[in-house]
Amino acid sequence: MTNTDAGTLADLSHAAMDTALVDGTARYLSETIRDFARYQESWWIYDRAGWWQVTRVDVAAGLDLMAQNMRLADQAVQRSAS
């Protein structure tokens, strides 16, 4: 957890998520959408205070679908760039 000046506690600190992104245990929603990340079998949302775990099943399902669509879009961009 992390403290902010306002005293808000996030579920996960920025440092912890940064480490997970670097070591490959977390990944952003897409190459261009970095406000959401998949980590420890859950979706997380970025906030100034840190990262908040997405706990609503319907929101997580929507993020799963968006991630699948964005993977296809990211792959298409990579193919057109090469």
Side-chain angles (χ1 to χ4, degrees):
M1 291 190 197
T2 184
N3 288 316
T4 65
D5 294 334
T8 302
L9 295 175
D11 294 328
L12 189 68
S13 71
H14 288 292
M17 183 60 83
D18 289 347
T19 298
L21 290 162
V22 168
D23 71 20
T25 58
R27 70 177 190 283
Y28 288 117
L29 181 86
S30 76
E31 290 182 21
T32 56
I33 301 174
R34 295 176 175 238
D35 290 340
F36 296 94
R38 184 85 175 157
Y39 177 60
Q40 295 181 335
E41 300 182 25
S42 295
W43 284 105
W44 298 77
I45 185 169
Y46 173 87
D47 181 74
R48 185 172 61 169
W51 288 84
W52 299 94
Q53 188 173 18
V54 174
T55 57
R56 286 187 42 182
V57 174
D58 59 329
V59 174
L63 288 166
D64 285 336
L65 181 59
M66 185 183 293
Q68 289 173 356
N69 291 334
M70 290 306 297
R71 254 190 302 283
L72 295 173
D74 289 343
Q75 290 170 354
V77 168
Q78 290 171 359
R79 280 193 304 270
S80 68
S82 42

